[in-house]
Amino acid sequence: ALISKGPPYRKLADSLSACRVLVVGAGGIGCELLKNLVLTGFKNIEVIDLDTIDVSNLNRQFLFQKKHVGKSKAQVAKESVLQFCPTANITAYHDSIMNPEYNVEFFRNFMLVMNALDNRAARNHVNRMCLAADIPLIESGTAGYLGQVTVIKKGLTECYECQPKPTQKTFPGCTIRNTPSEPIHCIVWAKYLFNQLFGEEDADQEVSPDTADPELTWNPADTEARATASDQDGDIKRVSTKDWARSTGYDTVKLFNKLFKDDIQYLLTMDKLWKKRKAPLPLDWLEIQKLVHSSQREVTGTGLKDQQVLGVAGYSQLFSRSVETLRSMLADKGDGAELVWDKDDPPAMDFVTAAANLRMHIFSMNMKSRFDIKSMAGNIIPAIATTNAVIAGLIVLEALKILSGDVEQCRTIFLNKQPNPRKKLLVPCALDPPSANCYVCASKPEVTVKLNVHKTLVLALQDKILKEKFGMVAPDVQIEDGKGTILISSEEGETEANNSKFLSDFGIRHGSRLQVDDFLQDYTLLVNVIHCEDLEKDVEFEVVGDAPDKAPTPPSAQEDKNVANGNKDSAEPSTSSKAPAEQDDVLIVDSDEEEPSSSTMDVRMESGGHKRKLHDAETGEASAKRQRLDQPLAADEEDDDIIALD
């Protein structure tokens, strides 16, 4: 088709046959993309994915069949795509793109990289590798009926990390343990309970009543004496939840009464908590069992079994069955074994569904179906195969522009849930120029971090700040103290002795500067340290000027004129982001994976004249408003192409 349209297209067709492209991810979008690439004429494709095929993938990842379950997604995708085009040269890697062997030189082998990922860490990494290699990157993501595609080119457009991303929403421990007010609180509690009973215990995931709740003013000794706990072995005891459960042989009755009766009665003694809240209502196993025979068929809702809501009696029976099944699974693994919670594991999902619903009932909330709880517990937005197909097609169209030498014509394209007043589902927007505040693609990346040098360990600097917050893989840290002191080395064991020491032990103080290098990412970051002794409770550090939960300010009129004329030298080092505007976040996720989300790109939406951001596909992250490119509108029509979710 390209050849028939004349010399320019014949040249493009030849380019497709010759160029090497990399596809990162072979899931929902990746399958559609690989098929599109070979049918468009791409001949040299490399695909990488660490995941294996699960039964739940088969309803939308059409390169896979039931016989492929358990096999490498990348390898099976390659084999299936070759049936469309046997002459294509496809290389598959069953591996993580973050493996050190996929270095900058590896990325330089390609003319173009296309992401079909599901997690922020990998997206950040590929973004940096493409910047270091100066290779164009096409980002994408879907969530239900929503989707988006954008192009990232060093010096010309924003990189993936130019705009601050919202952190994953968390909840105070006292809310989860004492005063849940939303179903998600009970679901988080149930997932914590699974780990406390059957998985890896985590002190931050305690499920028993929290006597350190800041709302309380009572005397713990007095109230504990007044607690009317059961006089059976299920009494509240200050021992490990798992140890206590093992001592009872995972007795269902004792577990039930401890979790849903004794602990709730204990909470009721915390009088101050219930002055302005409806008090919880304890459940008793024996009382519930009296209702079992009369209520066993009590369900609400219609449709599939997973979409029905059982009564309290039904969930008590489900709790009992799931505990017994999980106990047997744990016993089969042997002493010291642990189970890992997986939304696709029926016994684990049954346990969380039952425990969460029983707790919802206790705290006077409407109970949820297994389907709803699975969606919330797994951070899933149901995937739509058609959305993946549309987005994969848009990726190829942007790729054709890049290979034609028309990068300036590339766009960020949003797929909306319903047509806008102009009857459009697809909304193209101009690409934004690089952010001067970006700590990744600025000419000299620099950040300022506020922390307590007397309480921050070197290990925390490495893992929580450099790796988790700033997305590095193997950082090396040198103190700018005139001596070139090496604080952290990526060479295994070289600076391991430093991990348990505080930053102040190395002379790091207010105003110190650290040079951080990640040689795998070809990335250097200058970190300015601000010593602070009055950080908020449970806050270990703050990035000065960082506003991950807010949207950036829309670009000025001057910035909007032509965002395709970015200058790679124009970015200046900065430690802060633009003043943020109010946002109403909408999560976008490619739901074939469970993580969580959540990160790709963003969309602005409109409701009642207010902009709303449509988030990064996969992890819910947002970026600045794009300039719309269809045709000029009057001021009062300016936002018509952005549609709000219901």
Side-chain angles (χ1 to χ4, degrees):
L2 290 174
I3 295 177
S4 66
K5 292 189 177 183
Y9 294 95
R10 186 175 295 108
K11 182 178 179 181
L12 175 58
D14 293 341
S15 176
L16 298 187
S17 298
C19 74
R20 293 178 66 184
V21 297
L22 173 65
V23 176
V24 187
I29 296 175
C31 281
E32 294 289 342
L33 177 58
L34 288 166
K35 177 256 297 179
N36 288 350
L37 289 173
V38 296
L39 293 179
T40 304
F42 287 84
K43 298 293 186 182
N44 298 290
I45 304 168
E46 299 190 22
V47 57
I48 182 168
D49 196 310
L50 181 61
D51 204 3
T52 55
I53 299 164
D54 185 81
V55 172
S56 63
N57 302 144
L58 303 183
N59 70 336
R60 62 192 178 282
Q61 297 174 23
F62 300 128
L63 297 182
F64 309 143
Q65 301 174 31
K66 189 174 182 179
K67 64 183 180 181
H68 297 137
V69 170
K71 296 182 179 180
S72 161
K73 283 188 175 181
Q75 187 61 40
V76 174
K78 167 190 171 179
E79 295 167 0
S80 298
V81 166
L82 285 174
Q83 296 181 40
F84 290 95
C85 182
T87 60
N89 177 26
I90 303 176
T91 303
Y93 303 90
H94 179 57
D95 205 351
S96 168
I97 192 63
M98 298 177 74
N99 187 312
E101 71 180 82
Y102 307 112
N103 53 24
V104 175
E105 291 305 314
F106 172 80
F107 277 81
R108 285 178 178 150
N109 291 323
F110 305 100
M111 290 185 66
L112 177 63
V113 176
M114 290 164 272
N115 265 354
L117 284 163
D118 69 318
N119 68 88
R120 185 186 302 179
R123 292 177 188 280
N124 287 347
H125 181 71
V126 174
N127 174 63
R128 296 179 188 191
M129 300 304 287
C130 288
L131 289 173
D134 198 8
I135 301 297
L137 168 66
I138 303 178
E139 264 290 1
S140 63
T142 65
Y145 296 101
L146 307 173
Q148 57 198 107
V149 174
T150 196
V151 173
I152 296 170
K153 181 69 174 75
K154 182 178 181 180
L156 185 66
T157 74
E158 279 188 339
C159 80
Y160 175 66
E161 297 170 83
C162 270
Q163 299 298 339
K165 304 293 191 293
T167 55
Q168 183 174 359
K169 188 173 183 182
T170 57
F171 306 98
C174 55
T175 298
I176 299 299
R177 296 166 63 182
N178 292 359
T179 55
S181 59
E182 299 174 19
I184 187 63
H185 298 157
C186 299
I187 294 169
V188 170
W189 177 87
K191 289 179 67 177
Y192 286 0
L193 178 62
F194 177 92
N195 286 333
Q196 292 291 332
L197 291 175
F198 308 106
E200 181 180 358
E201 292 182 275
D202 185 338
D204 293 329
Q205 296 185 357
E206 182 56 63
V207 294
S208 297
D210 183 7
T211 58
D213 194 318
E215 285 191 53
L216 301 176
T217 58
W218 45 271
N219 183 325
D222 293 341
T223 52
E224 189 166 0
R226 291 189 285 111
T228 56
S230 167
D231 56 0
Q232 301 178 19
D233 288 344
D235 289 356
I236 297 173
K237 298 178 182 179
R238 299 306 165 215
V239 296
S240 159
T241 302
K242 182 179 288 185
D243 289 343
W244 174 81
R246 283 175 175 164
S247 72
T248 70
Y250 285 95
D251 185 286
T252 300
V253 176
K254 292 177 180 177
L255 280 174
F256 187 98
N257 281 336
K258 193 271 183 193
L259 296 166
F260 306 116
K261 177 184 176 183
D262 299 340
D263 280 0
I264 303 305
Q265 290 176 332
Y266 189 81
L267 281 174
L268 288 171
T269 67
M270 303 179 184
D271 305 329
K272 187 174 176 60
L273 293 179
W274 317 115
K275 287 184 178 180
K276 296 182 180 180
R277 296 183 179 91
K278 184 174 181 179
L281 301 172
L283 295 175
D284 181 88
W285 176 263
L286 293 178
E287 293 297 321
I288 296 296
Q289 296 319 296
K290 293 177 183 178
L291 304 174
V292 168
H293 296 294
S294 60
S295 304
Q296 58 186 358
R297 296 182 182 278
E298 178 191 348
V299 296
T300 60
T302 58
L304 300 175
K305 182 179 178 181
D306 278 6
Q307 295 175 321
Q308 298 175 344
V309 178
L310 309 180
V312 175
Y315 283 124
S316 68
Q317 293 301 299
L318 183 62
F319 178 82
S320 177
R321 292 194 300 271
S322 62
V323 167
E324 181 58 27
T325 303
L326 292 169
R327 183 198 64 76
S328 298
M329 292 170 62
L330 195 61
D332 291 344
K333 286 180 172 285
D335 292 338
E338 296 172 344
L339 301 181
V340 177
W341 190 83
D342 185 343
K343 65 177 174 56
D344 293 319
D345 179 30
M349 195 62 235
D350 285 345
F351 176 85
V352 169
T353 298
N357 271 311
L358 290 168
R359 191 163 173 89
M360 285 182 219
H361 178 80
I362 287 169
F363 286 90
S364 303
M365 300 177 216
N366 292 328
M367 294 187 288
K368 299 286 185 180
S369 69
R370 190 177 192 274
F371 177 86
D372 289 335
I373 289 180
K374 184 175 182 179
S375 296
M376 298 171 76
N379 301 319
I380 305 165
I381 294 177
I384 306 294
T386 309
T387 309
N388 290 337
V390 172
I391 293 303
L394 293 172
I395 294 172
V396 175
L397 291 178
E398 295 305 302
L400 294 177
K401 295 177 188 177
I402 293 171
L403 296 175
S404 299
D406 295 328
V407 177
E408 291 81 2
Q409 299 302 314
C410 290
R411 302 290 180 250
T412 292
I413 305 173
F414 302 123
L415 172 62
N416 288 329
K417 187 178 181 181
Q418 59 190 32
N420 62 17
R422 293 175 175 274
K423 306 294 190 260
K424 294 180 181 178
L425 278 174
L426 297 174
V427 181
C429 299
L431 298 170
D432 287 334
S435 169
N437 300 327
C438 183
Y439 60 77
V440 174
C441 67
S443 58
K444 294 182 179 179
E446 184 173 343
V447 293
T448 298
V449 178
K450 184 188 296 185
L451 48 75
N452 189 327
V453 298
H454 303 300
K455 294 183 179 180
T456 303
L457 295 173
V458 171
L459 184 62
L461 171 67
Q462 173 185 278
D463 292 347
K464 295 186 177 181
I465 300 178
L466 300 179
K467 289 185 176 181
E468 185 176 326
K469 177 63 181 177
F470 294 123
M472 296 187 173
V473 177
D476 290 272
V477 181
Q478 177 177 308
I479 306 172
E480 292 194 348
D481 56 0
K483 297 180 289 186
T485 303
I486 303 298
L487 185 66
I488 298 172
S489 172
S490 57
E491 296 294 329
E492 187 174 354
E494 191 169 300
T495 56
E496 190 173 340
N498 295 347
N499 288 347
S500 59
K501 298 179 181 180
F502 295 107
L503 299 186
S504 57
D505 295 337
F506 296 88
I508 297 174
R509 58 186 186 276
H510 184 81
S512 291
R513 289 159 68 89
L514 309 176
Q515 180 174 311
V516 187
D517 295 286
D518 190 316
F519 295 105
L520 173 62
Q521 298 179 342
D522 194 15
Y523 173 49
T524 298
L525 178 68
L526 186 64
V527 178
N528 298 297
V529 175
I530 293 181
H531 172 64
C532 179
E533 298 186 356
D534 57 353
L535 292 170
E536 294 182 18
K537 182 181 178 182
D538 297 329
V539 174
E540 296 184 55
F541 68 92
E542 292 178 359
V543 179
V544 177
D546 188 40
D549 293 317
K550 298 178 180 179
T553 309
S556 66
Q558 181 65 32
E559 291 172 323
D560 269 350
K561 286 183 179 177
N562 188 347
V563 298
N565 292 329
N567 186 323
K568 69 176 67 178
D569 298 321
S570 64
E572 295 295 330
S574 172
T575 60
S576 64
S577 59
K578 297 177 183 178
E582 184 178 348
Q583 73 174 42
D584 184 7
D585 295 336
V586 182
L587 180 65
I588 300 185
V589 202
D590 181 359
S591 49
D592 359 317
E593 316 294 319
E594 43 209 86
E595 171 75 26
S597 204
S598 96
S599 167
T600 311
M601 313 157 35
D602 342 303
V603 187
R604 287 263 180 169
M605 313 192 72
E606 172 214 35
S607 177
H610 295 289
K611 292 288 178 62
R612 302 182 64 191
K613 288 202 300 194
L614 191 107
H615 270 59
D616 177 327
E618 326 289 337
T619 57
E621 297 156 46
S623 78
K625 169 189 172 186
R626 272 34 176 211
Q627 175 184 352
R628 210 182 62 245
L629 296 174
D630 40 6
Q631 61 182 8
L633 296 175
D636 59 344
E637 300 177 26
E638 192 172 16
D639 298 320
D640 284 351
D641 283 354
I642 310 298
I643 301 300
L645 292 180
D646 293 335

Short mmCIF file of all heavy atoms in Angstrom, two decimals, residues 22 98 115 118 132-133 158 171 317 321 332 368 528 535 570 639:
data_model
loop_
_atom_site.label_atom_id
_atom_site.label_comp_id
_atom_site.label_asym_id
_atom_site.label_seq_id
_atom_site.Cartn_x
_atom_site.Cartn_y
_atom_site.Cartn_z
N LEU A 22 12.51 -1.66 18.85
CA LEU A 22 12.40 -2.42 20.11
C LEU A 22 11.02 -2.21 20.70
O LEU A 22 10.57 -1.06 20.87
CB LEU A 22 13.47 -1.96 21.10
CG LEU A 22 13.38 -2.56 22.52
CD1 LEU A 22 13.63 -4.06 22.49
CD2 LEU A 22 14.38 -1.87 23.46
N MET A 98 15.30 -3.92 32.67
CA MET A 98 16.18 -3.25 33.63
C MET A 98 17.45 -4.06 33.92
O MET A 98 18.29 -3.65 34.72
CB MET A 98 15.42 -2.96 34.92
CG MET A 98 14.25 -2.02 34.70
SD MET A 98 13.25 -1.69 36.15
CE MET A 98 14.34 -0.59 37.07
N ASN A 115 7.12 1.59 24.01
CA ASN A 115 6.80 1.03 25.33
C ASN A 115 5.37 0.50 25.37
O ASN A 115 4.43 1.17 24.93
CB ASN A 115 6.95 2.10 26.42
CG ASN A 115 8.31 2.04 27.09
OD1 ASN A 115 9.10 1.15 26.83
ND2 ASN A 115 8.56 2.99 27.97
N ASP A 118 3.73 -1.61 32.14
CA ASP A 118 2.67 -1.54 33.14
C ASP A 118 3.15 -1.03 34.48
O ASP A 118 2.42 -1.09 35.46
CB ASP A 118 2.06 -2.93 33.34
CG ASP A 118 3.03 -3.87 34.03
OD1 ASP A 118 4.22 -3.84 33.66
OD2 ASP A 118 2.62 -4.60 34.93
N ALA A 132 19.54 8.81 27.04
CA ALA A 132 20.99 8.63 26.98
C ALA A 132 21.44 8.19 25.59
O ALA A 132 22.50 8.61 25.10
CB ALA A 132 21.43 7.60 28.03
N ALA A 133 20.64 7.35 24.95
CA ALA A 133 21.00 6.86 23.61
C ALA A 133 20.54 7.80 22.52
O ALA A 133 20.89 7.61 21.35
CB ALA A 133 20.38 5.47 23.40
N GLU A 158 8.92 16.92 26.14
CA GLU A 158 9.01 16.49 27.53
C GLU A 158 9.45 15.03 27.57
O GLU A 158 9.04 14.23 26.74
CB GLU A 158 7.64 16.57 28.21
CG GLU A 158 7.24 17.93 28.70
CD GLU A 158 5.97 17.87 29.52
OE1 GLU A 158 5.20 16.90 29.39
OE2 GLU A 158 5.74 18.82 30.29
N PHE A 171 -2.88 4.93 53.18
CA PHE A 171 -3.81 5.29 54.23
C PHE A 171 -3.11 5.18 55.58
O PHE A 171 -2.29 4.29 55.79
CB PHE A 171 -5.02 4.36 54.21
CG PHE A 171 -5.71 4.29 52.88
CD1 PHE A 171 -5.44 3.24 52.01
CD2 PHE A 171 -6.60 5.27 52.49
CE1 PHE A 171 -6.06 3.18 50.77
CE2 PHE A 171 -7.22 5.21 51.26
CZ PHE A 171 -6.95 4.16 50.40
N GLN A 317 -19.07 -18.35 55.97
CA GLN A 317 -18.76 -19.68 55.46
C GLN A 317 -17.61 -19.62 54.47
O GLN A 317 -16.73 -20.49 54.46
CB GLN A 317 -20.00 -20.27 54.79
CG GLN A 317 -21.14 -20.58 55.75
CD GLN A 317 -20.72 -21.56 56.83
OE1 GLN A 317 -20.34 -22.70 56.55
NE2 GLN A 317 -20.79 -21.12 58.08
N ARG A 321 -14.02 -21.64 54.75
CA ARG A 321 -13.48 -22.51 53.70
C ARG A 321 -12.12 -22.03 53.21
O ARG A 321 -11.20 -22.83 52.98
CB ARG A 321 -14.46 -22.58 52.52
CG ARG A 321 -15.77 -23.30 52.82
CD ARG A 321 -16.51 -23.62 51.53
NE ARG A 321 -16.84 -22.43 50.75
CZ ARG A 321 -17.96 -21.73 50.89
NH1 ARG A 321 -18.86 -22.08 51.80
NH2 ARG A 321 -18.19 -20.67 50.13
N ASP A 332 1.48 -27.79 53.24
CA ASP A 332 2.12 -28.56 52.16
C ASP A 332 3.48 -28.00 51.80
O ASP A 332 4.34 -28.72 51.29
CB ASP A 332 1.23 -28.56 50.91
CG ASP A 332 -0.05 -29.37 51.12
OD1 ASP A 332 -0.08 -30.17 52.08
OD2 ASP A 332 -1.00 -29.19 50.33
N LYS A 368 -19.41 -5.62 49.19
CA LYS A 368 -19.07 -5.60 47.76
C LYS A 368 -18.99 -7.02 47.19
O LYS A 368 -18.73 -7.98 47.91
CB LYS A 368 -17.70 -4.93 47.56
CG LYS A 368 -17.65 -3.48 48.01
CD LYS A 368 -18.39 -2.59 47.04
CE LYS A 368 -18.25 -1.13 47.39
NZ LYS A 368 -18.98 -0.26 46.44
N ASN A 528 21.45 18.22 46.54
CA ASN A 528 21.75 19.17 47.61
C ASN A 528 21.02 18.73 48.87
O ASN A 528 19.82 18.46 48.84
CB ASN A 528 21.27 20.57 47.21
CG ASN A 528 21.97 21.08 45.97
OD1 ASN A 528 23.17 21.28 45.95
ND2 ASN A 528 21.20 21.28 44.90
N LEU A 535 10.76 17.18 60.49
CA LEU A 535 9.92 16.61 59.45
C LEU A 535 8.67 16.02 60.08
O LEU A 535 8.65 15.66 61.26
CB LEU A 535 10.68 15.50 58.71
CG LEU A 535 11.86 15.95 57.83
CD1 LEU A 535 12.66 14.74 57.38
CD2 LEU A 535 11.36 16.73 56.63
N SER A 570 18.09 24.21 26.27
CA SER A 570 17.31 25.24 26.94
C SER A 570 16.96 24.90 28.36
O SER A 570 16.59 25.76 29.14
CB SER A 570 16.02 25.50 26.16
OG SER A 570 15.21 24.33 26.18
N ASP A 639 -12.26 23.97 25.32
CA ASP A 639 -12.02 22.68 25.94
C ASP A 639 -12.98 21.59 25.48
O ASP A 639 -13.07 20.53 26.08
CB ASP A 639 -12.12 22.80 27.46
CG ASP A 639 -11.08 23.74 28.00
OD1 ASP A 639 -9.95 23.70 27.52
OD2 ASP A 639 -11.42 24.51 28.90
#
